[in-house]
Amino acid sequence: MRGLFASRRAILAALLTSAAGAAFLRSPAMAQGDPLPSWNDGKAKQSILDFVTAVTRDGSANFVSVPQRIATFDNDGTLWVEQPMYTQFAFAIDRVKALAPMHPEWKEKQPFKAVLDGDMKALAESGERGLVELVMVTHAGMTVEEFEGIVTGWLATARHPRFKRLYTELVYQPMLELLAYLRANGFKTFIVSGGGIEFMRPWSDRVYGVPPEQVVGSSIKTRFQRQHDIPELFRLAEINFVDDGPGKPVGINEHIGRRPIAAFGNSDGDLQMLQWATTGGGVRFGLIVHHTDAEREYAYDRNSHVGHLEKALEAAQLDKWTVVSMKDDWKRIFPFN
Amino acid sequence: MRGLFASRRAILAALLTSAAGAAFLRSPAMAQGDPLPSWNDGKAKQSILDFVTAVTRDGSANFVSVPQRIATFDNDGTLWVEQPMYTQFAFAIDRVKALAPMHPEWKEKQPFKAVLDGDMKALAESGERGLVELVMVTHAGMTVEEFEGIVTGWLATARHPRFKRLYTELVYQPMLELLAYLRANGFKTFIVSGGGIEFMRPWSDRVYGVPPEQVVGSSIKTRFQRQHDIPELFRLAEINFVDDGPGKPVGINEHIGRRPIAAFGNSDGDLQMLQWATTGGGVRFGLIVHHTDAEREYAYDRNSHVGHLEKALEAAQLDKWTVVSMKDDWKRIFPFN
């Protein structure tokens, strides 16, 4: 009997360490201790705790069943650093440099010349067309596995120009706690990013605990083909879907097929996602990360091109979304602090 | 102490009834009793049991970690009846009839006239263009919620012409057991269908235990818009993605972002999905449901337009996929038998 009890206890302990077990066993919103230790006490933190308590308290009028607990997170600027440029753009620039020896014509051809010369002004002048050209040259013309290998290899060594850290280290500790807290309360957490879906999937599980099938993003088209009887998916230089702005609710509907009850963003590109998630009945939650901390991270909003935040900040007032001031609400910024 | 033990036992019992708990606790492939009671003993059933045992036995060379246990299932003809016509096509025909009073011009206009006259020959002559027109008229021009309501309402009352049952009752009991067996062994089960993604999602969880976010299918485009400040997703009369044939691996990659290790289909539309799933290293599993039972269901393959099976049957021989003979391998066909 004792042996049986011991083994059951071992199984229980094992279960408690698994997300599924934790979600099942733990009283709603009652993790031991503070589930958000990197958040300062205040309105922002309290609004999160109140929301989770409201939707998980069994028998409450605001109770939401586990399958409906869908939360969507923007990535750039919401979960990891997006300044001074989107990480994926830094990747594209490094790829152009790596591929340049095979393309001598790039020395005279824009936007490649600008990249190779480090001439950011000329690069900006090449506009959206130049940007798309850079993306296609560096993201297409290979199989999905080859691209995954390139991304993984780059992220293993590339460093952020200011923090001198791997990009995957520059994730926000308070947001990691928030992701874990929601999952511990039965939420399924998704990334819904304007960034490339295949650029995030190789590391989203390891870094955020979000598996590839819960990542939504922009994409280029792929083609199924067989080379010497080996099936492969080949990446084409053609845009498939832009998961930004009004594209985010579209991407959410296509990938998830349910309307989230909570959404988290930091820029005008997240406006429609937050509008979509915070209407539709019942208690809902919207949150905007406001970058107000030039010292520990960056301070920017309406004057920045990257992560431009203006309309979504106005909407936050009207729609009563939580606005997080990075400087005031976050005790720590990064896991390594 | 006794009270504590009892409560732990109660928790354990509850966990054992949840899929996650069952996957965690149960010895691989060792469900109590026969996990596939509606399957006759034979090569097909044994191949399933052998595959699941191989990939779930800890320490074995063929072990596959839980997150990589992805299984994809075609829907029409693999999980439910697709004869004498795809259910979604029956839905479109009924919708045309329901909408006809608002469209007096349809009485003289093909393909609508053919539908209203019940003239299947004229309908067939309208070809793919006519089909697309029928789909657009019946599937677009409304919000995603409105469409969901229409589908749900139709499925609650429409009956299959031969079996006189709801379409959602005409699902294959052996396949329901297979879905449950795989999930109990840590697999995540997905539907990957040529049918409309929004046509399946309203009932996939209830009928198959597959939640909306694990359904991949064909789709039309949607547009995010705000009507009187209310955000909505409006369905447009424009094809977004055709999840059939070579589109299936593309859809799988886009939605799931991992290559399945097992795939289940019944027609040439599933050929590329099975090719994609059964290559890529390690033990993998492909299965074709062969409709050989005219008495209890239908018998068809290379001579049928709906569910045409020819190339995939040839590939099954070469690639050693399991071919299920409905007549010989299935003890029961439907849950109500």
Side-chain angles (χ1 to χ4, degrees):
Chain A
M1 195 65 182
R2 199 185 145 75
L4 181 65
F5 180 55
S7 88
R8 284 191 175 173
R9 193 160 60 177
I11 290 165
L12 256 185
L15 277 164
L16 278 163
T17 64
S18 82
F24 202 91
L25 293 174
R26 191 178 293 167
S27 306
M30 290 291 285
Q32 286 186 316
D34 184 351
L36 301 173
S38 298
W39 292 70
N40 287 318
D41 290 335
K43 274 170 67 179
K45 179 176 182 171
Q46 196 57 49
S47 72
I48 297 168
L49 299 171
D50 289 348
F51 166 71
V52 172
T53 302
V55 298
T56 57
R57 198 195 295 124
D58 214 345
S60 111
N62 298 315
F63 180 79
V64 175
S65 68
V66 167
Q68 300 292 344
R69 293 182 201 162
I70 303 286
T72 53
F73 288 79
D74 170 57
N75 183 38
D76 296 307
T78 299
L79 296 179
W80 77 351
V81 170
E82 64 181 350
Q83 297 286 0
M85 68 172 73
Y86 296 123
T87 304
Q88 194 169 358
F89 195 53
F91 165 77
I93 285 176
D94 279 2
R95 282 303 292 164
V96 166
K97 290 175 184 167
L99 295 169
M102 290 186 289
H103 297 272
E105 74 280 9
W106 284 357
K107 282 183 192 156
E108 303 305 327
K109 195 183 165 194
Q110 294 295 12
F112 307 102
K113 184 179 185 319
V115 170
L116 298 176
D117 296 347
D119 183 349
M120 297 309 282
K121 190 162 163 285
L123 187 55
E125 280 163 9
S126 75
E128 191 177 319
R129 198 173 146 179
L131 182 67
V132 168
E133 206 174 344
L134 281 188
V135 168
M136 289 312 173
V137 157
T138 53
H139 288 64
M142 65 200 85
T143 69
V144 294
E145 280 91 357
E146 284 164 354
F147 184 69
E148 180 180 340
I150 292 167
V151 169
T152 303
W154 184 79
L155 284 171
T157 56
R159 304 251 159 190
H160 187 274
R162 172 176 160 195
F163 296 106
K164 315 293 181 202
R165 292 272 181 169
L166 297 180
Y167 287 96
T168 48
E169 292 180 277
L170 297 176
V171 295
Y172 306 130
Q173 176 64 25
M175 296 304 281
L176 297 181
E177 293 167 5
L178 178 51
L179 283 163
Y181 173 57
L182 289 172
R183 287 194 290 261
N185 281 282
F187 279 79
K188 208 164 184 173
T189 53
F190 288 81
I191 291 172
V192 178
S193 167
I197 191 167
E198 302 289 13
F199 186 75
M200 297 178 282
R201 280 174 163 167
W203 50 274
S204 62
D205 198 13
R206 174 174 61 84
V207 175
Y208 299 136
V210 176
E213 60 269 29
Q214 286 163 227
V215 177
V216 184
S218 298
S219 58
I220 59 177
K221 287 195 189 292
T222 62
R223 181 179 62 215
F224 179 81
Q225 58 191 29
R226 302 219 304 164
Q227 298 282 13
H228 312 294
D229 280 354
I230 308 292
E232 61 182 36
L233 284 170
F234 194 77
R235 292 169 61 81
L236 305 175
E238 191 183 341
I239 288 175
N240 179 56
F241 182 65
V242 178
D243 191 51
D244 198 31
K248 288 203 176 189
V250 171
I252 287 169
N253 185 61
E254 190 170 331
H255 276 255
I256 308 177
R258 310 188 200 251
R259 196 191 289 227
I261 63 166
F264 305 82
N266 79 300
S267 80
D268 286 356
D270 303 312
L271 174 63
Q272 290 87 353
M273 172 169 76
L274 269 85
Q275 288 173 335
W276 178 242
T278 58
T279 47
V283 176
R284 286 162 182 270
F285 191 75
L287 182 147
I288 299 268
V289 175
H290 192 187
H291 292 261
T292 52
D293 196 332
E295 199 174 312
R296 296 186 299 171
E297 203 244 10
Y298 295 93
Y300 59 97
D301 44 38
R302 68 193 66 227
N303 295 320
S304 176
H305 180 68
V306 172
H308 183 85
L309 175 64
E310 189 165 1
K311 286 185 187 168
L313 204 53
E314 289 162 17
Q317 306 304 324
L318 285 173
D319 293 338
K320 302 201 174 83
W321 301 335
T322 292
V323 176
V324 170
S325 165
M326 198 175 258
K327 185 175 180 170
D328 304 315
D329 289 316
W330 286 1
K331 223 174 272 179
R332 291 164 69 190
I333 306 286
F334 301 118
F336 56 81
N337 282 151
Chain B
M1 196 65 183
R2 198 187 145 75
L4 180 65
F5 179 55
S7 88
R8 285 192 174 172
R9 192 160 62 177
I11 290 166
L12 255 185
L15 276 166
L16 278 163
T17 64
S18 83
F24 202 92
L25 292 174
R26 191 178 292 165
S27 307
M30 291 292 285
Q32 287 187 317
D34 184 351
L36 302 172
S38 298
W39 293 69
N40 287 318
D41 290 334
K43 273 169 66 179
K45 179 175 181 171
Q46 196 57 48
S47 72
I48 297 167
L49 299 171
D50 289 348
F51 166 70
V52 172
T53 302
V55 298
T56 57
R57 198 195 295 123
D58 214 345
S60 110
N62 299 314
F63 179 80
V64 175
S65 68
V66 167
Q68 299 292 343
R69 293 183 201 161
I70 303 286
T72 54
F73 287 79
D74 170 58
N75 183 38
D76 295 308
T78 299
L79 296 179
W80 76 350
V81 170
E82 65 180 349
Q83 296 286 1
M85 68 172 74
Y86 297 122
T87 304
Q88 194 170 358
F89 195 54
F91 164 77
I93 285 176
D94 279 2
R95 283 301 295 162
V96 166
K97 290 176 183 165
L99 295 168
M102 291 185 288
H103 298 272
E105 75 280 8
W106 285 357
K107 281 183 192 157
E108 304 304 327
K109 194 183 165 197
Q110 295 296 13
F112 308 102
K113 182 178 185 319
V115 170
L116 298 176
D117 295 347
D119 183 349
M120 297 309 282
K121 191 163 161 286
L123 186 55
E125 279 162 9
S126 75
E128 191 177 320
R129 197 174 147 178
L131 182 68
V132 169
E133 205 173 344
L134 281 188
V135 168
M136 290 310 175
V137 157
T138 53
H139 287 65
M142 66 200 86
T143 69
V144 295
E145 280 91 358
E146 283 164 355
F147 184 69
E148 181 180 340
I150 292 166
V151 169
T152 303
W154 184 78
L155 284 171
T157 56
R159 303 251 160 191
H160 186 274
R162 172 176 159 193
F163 295 106
K164 314 295 181 201
R165 293 274 181 166
L166 298 180
Y167 287 96
T168 48
E169 292 180 277
L170 297 176
V171 295
Y172 305 131
Q173 175 64 25
M175 297 304 283
L176 297 181
E177 293 167 7
L178 178 52
L179 282 163
Y181 174 55
L182 289 173
R183 288 194 290 261
N185 281 282
F187 279 79
K188 208 163 183 175
T189 53
F190 288 81
I191 291 172
V192 178
S193 168
I197 192 167
E198 302 289 14
F199 186 74
M200 297 178 283
R201 281 173 162 166
W203 50 273
S204 62
D205 198 13
R206 173 175 61 85
V207 175
Y208 299 135
V210 176
E213 59 269 29
Q214 287 164 223
V215 177
V216 184
S218 297
S219 58
I220 59 177
K221 288 194 188 294
T222 62
R223 181 179 62 215
F224 178 81
Q225 59 190 30
R226 302 216 307 163
Q227 298 282 12
H228 313 294
D229 281 352
I230 308 293
E232 61 182 36
L233 284 170
F234 194 76
R235 292 169 60 81
L236 305 176
E238 191 183 342
I239 288 175
N240 178 56
F241 182 66
V242 178
D243 190 52
D244 198 29
K248 288 203 174 189
V250 171
I252 287 169
N253 185 62
E254 189 168 333
H255 277 256
I256 309 176
R258 309 188 202 251
R259 196 191 290 227
I261 62 166
F264 304 82
N266 79 299
S267 79
D268 286 356
D270 303 311
L271 174 63
Q272 290 85 354
M273 171 170 76
L274 270 86
Q275 289 172 334
W276 178 242
T278 58
T279 47
V283 176
R284 286 162 181 270
F285 191 75
L287 183 149
I288 298 269
V289 174
H290 192 186
H291 292 262
T292 53
D293 196 332
E295 200 174 312
R296 295 185 299 172
E297 203 244 9
Y298 295 93
Y300 60 97
D301 43 41
R302 67 193 66 226
N303 295 319
S304 177
H305 181 68
V306 172
H308 183 85
L309 175 64
E310 189 165 358
K311 285 184 188 169
L313 204 52
E314 288 162 18
Q317 305 304 322
L318 285 173
D319 293 338
K320 301 201 173 82
W321 301 334
T322 292
V323 177
V324 170
S325 165
M326 196 174 259
K327 185 174 180 173
D328 304 315
D329 288 314
W330 286 359
K331 224 175 271 179
R332 290 164 68 188
I333 306 287
F334 301 118
F336 56 79
N337 282 153

